Amino acid sequence: MRFVMKLRMFIDNNVELVLSNGDIVKGILAEVNCSYVIVRTAGVIGYDGEEEVLIRTRLIDYVRVI
């Protein structure tokens, strides 16, 4: 739970999330909930423009604020 509370301090900041499967998601942290976070990415492979990506918090290994 502390992890979620700390993440809430960085809403609207650029972040880089490293997931347990090795994927990296970069973008602006839009929303933080107990079970998920939403990151607004500038570009996602296969999509044009800005996309919001929902990521389960249990899948996050590491968060870096850029």
Side-chain angles (χ1 to χ4, degrees), residues 1-60:
M1 190 58 121
R2 287 183 179 176
F3 173 72
V4 171
M5 296 302 284
K6 286 185 179 182
L7 272 182
R8 286 184 179 156
M9 294 182 349
F10 298 107
I11 290 178
D12 292 330
N13 286 322
N14 288 323
V15 293
E16 180 180 83
L17 305 175
V18 178
L19 307 181
S20 58
N21 64 358
D23 288 345
I24 297 174
V25 178
K26 295 179 185 178
I28 298 172
L29 189 60
E31 184 178 336
V32 178
N33 199 327
C34 292
S35 60
Y36 65 88
V37 299
I38 295 178
V39 177
R40 215 173 299 125
T41 62
V44 177
I45 296 173
Y47 298 96
D48 293 330
E50 191 176 276
E51 287 290 320
E52 288 189 350
V53 180
L54 183 135
I55 302 164
R56 298 278 177 202
T57 53
R58 61 185 161 89
L59 298 176
I60 300 172

